Amino acid sequence: MSTDISTAVGTEDRIEDGTEDRTPSERPQQPERPGRSAPAAPPAVPPVARRTPRVAGLLLGLLTKTAAIAVLLLLWELAPRFDLVDRTFLPPFSDVLDAWFGLLDNGQLASNTQASLTRSLTGFGLSVVIGVPLGLLIGWYRPLATLLSPLLELFRNTAALALLPVFVLVLGIGETSKISIVLYACVWPILLNTVSAVRSVDPTLLRLARSLDLSAPRLFQKVIVPASVPVIFTGIRLAGAVSILVLVAAEMVGAKAGLGYLINASQYNFAIPQMYAGIVTISVIGVAFNQLLVALERRFTAWRAPHDR
């Protein structure tokens, strides 16, 4: 009975203030109680807006990396023009660029670059094939390391260029001596870094692998080689730089082609812009080769955490 009375009173009140005859859309909205409102959906971010910060970050990183080189080239261009240096011995960079395109047009740059890359990559590839397996063996088998340690210490401290006359006398002035000197110079960084990488493998990983009764080949495949790859690639990158530097020096002695020969011949003929064009070409090749090795290192060490790189 009390329920009917309260219902009737509520109905009369709604009739008096006119809310009974209004449609649901015309009725005044009652404020929702705090704590019960549904969370508002975040505004959708368009794909272009998500991509913009990433592109801006890439551009900023590119500008940061190239700023120092741009300043160097600007100084190189302006210093000879304002007589800060003798332009006879240091021509403006624009003159060097014109000489570079001239060498490219007459085919000298392509032929000499091909000769140098063939020698350098051959010696470098042979050093990787020899240095990495030998370093794994020496690093893993202590008796072998003890036996070869005095010999390794002797040759690692003998500069490759100091042995260049020996290579020329024994192997002649042909391609064999130049590839051999590159091989000799490159094998030591790879070999020594590989030995160090094997010896620095975490002992906990080795004990865990042995507890799983892994055979020696599986132990090498699953534990030692993956753990050693970062340090091995450090040696490979060092060898990549050495392969170009040593080859250029070797090509300046008794060579008939190559970037080292081009630089040396340009100096003797007093073709200074062509000499600098050869030097710039060597620098660009060195940077490109190093970036290629960095990309390969990232490919083979993709399992590592980002903060470990």
Side-chain angles (χ1 to χ4, degrees):
M1 192 66 184
S2 59
T3 304
D4 296 339
I5 295 175
S6 61
T7 304
V9 173
T11 303
E12 291 177 358
D13 294 339
R14 290 196 301 271
I15 292 174
E16 289 178 358
D17 56 16
T19 59
E20 180 68 23
D21 297 335
R22 300 179 187 177
T23 61
S25 61
E26 296 175 342
R27 293 176 185 173
Q29 299 294 328
Q30 299 295 329
E32 296 183 358
R33 296 181 182 179
R36 291 190 177 183
S37 59
V45 180
V48 177
R50 291 197 302 266
R51 199 179 301 118
T52 301
R54 185 181 307 172
V55 174
L58 292 176
L59 292 177
L60 180 60
L62 181 62
L63 290 176
T64 303
K65 293 179 179 179
T66 58
I69 297 178
V71 171
L72 175 63
L73 296 180
L74 182 62
L75 291 175
W76 188 352
E77 178 67 28
L78 296 179
R81 294 189 180 279
F82 287 95
D83 295 328
L84 298 178
V85 295
D86 190 348
R87 63 184 301 162
T88 304
F89 303 106
L90 183 64
F93 181 72
S94 57
D95 294 351
V96 175
L97 202 59
D98 291 339
W100 190 89
F101 281 108
L103 292 173
L104 184 63
D105 289 336
N106 60 29
Q108 293 186 45
L109 186 65
S111 60
N112 287 296
T113 301
Q114 180 181 1
S116 293
L117 287 179
T118 302
R119 297 162 181 161
S120 179
L121 293 178
T122 303
F124 173 77
L126 291 174
S127 67
V128 173
V129 172
I130 295 172
V132 172
L134 186 59
L136 292 173
L137 291 176
I138 295 175
W140 183 248
Y141 295 105
R142 293 303 178 97
L144 184 60
T146 304
L147 176 64
L148 297 179
S149 180
L151 193 62
L152 296 180
E153 290 295 327
L154 175 64
F155 282 104
R156 65 173 291 194
N157 291 295
T158 304
L161 293 179
L163 296 176
L164 178 59
V166 178
F167 280 92
V168 173
L169 288 174
V170 175
L171 301 174
I173 61 174
E175 300 297 314
T176 306
S177 61
K178 295 174 180 59
I179 294 175
S180 299
I181 194 69
V182 173
L183 168 62
Y184 177 85
C186 293
V187 76
W188 299 111
I190 299 174
L191 176 64
L192 297 176
N193 276 272
T194 303
V195 173
S196 176
V198 174
R199 292 181 178 177
S200 61
V201 174
D202 191 354
T204 304
L205 293 177
L206 295 177
R207 288 194 296 267
L208 181 61
R210 289 192 178 99
S211 67
L212 298 175
D213 294 331
L214 291 180
S215 61
R218 296 287 291 177
L219 183 64
F220 259 83
Q221 179 186 0
K222 296 297 184 181
V223 179
I224 296 176
V225 173
S228 303
V229 164
V231 182
I232 292 175
F233 261 99
T234 301
I236 291 177
R237 290 174 60 186
L238 291 174
V242 169
S243 67
I244 298 175
L245 297 177
V246 172
L247 177 64
V248 170
E251 287 177 341
M252 292 182 177
V253 180
K256 298 300 182 181
L259 292 175
Y261 165 77
L262 174 65
I263 295 171
N264 202 35
S266 300
Q267 179 192 7
Y268 281 123
N269 296 326
F270 211 71
I272 304 302
Q274 286 82 356
M275 182 189 73
Y276 282 105
I279 295 173
V280 170
T281 303
I282 291 172
S283 300
V284 172
I285 290 175
V287 172
F289 193 25
N290 182 71
Q291 292 301 314
L292 175 62
L293 294 177
V294 169
L296 288 176
E297 180 181 4
R298 291 175 179 171
R299 170 65 179 83
F300 285 104
T301 59
W303 51 269
R304 299 174 65 192
H307 64 272
D308 292 336
R309 298 184 181 183

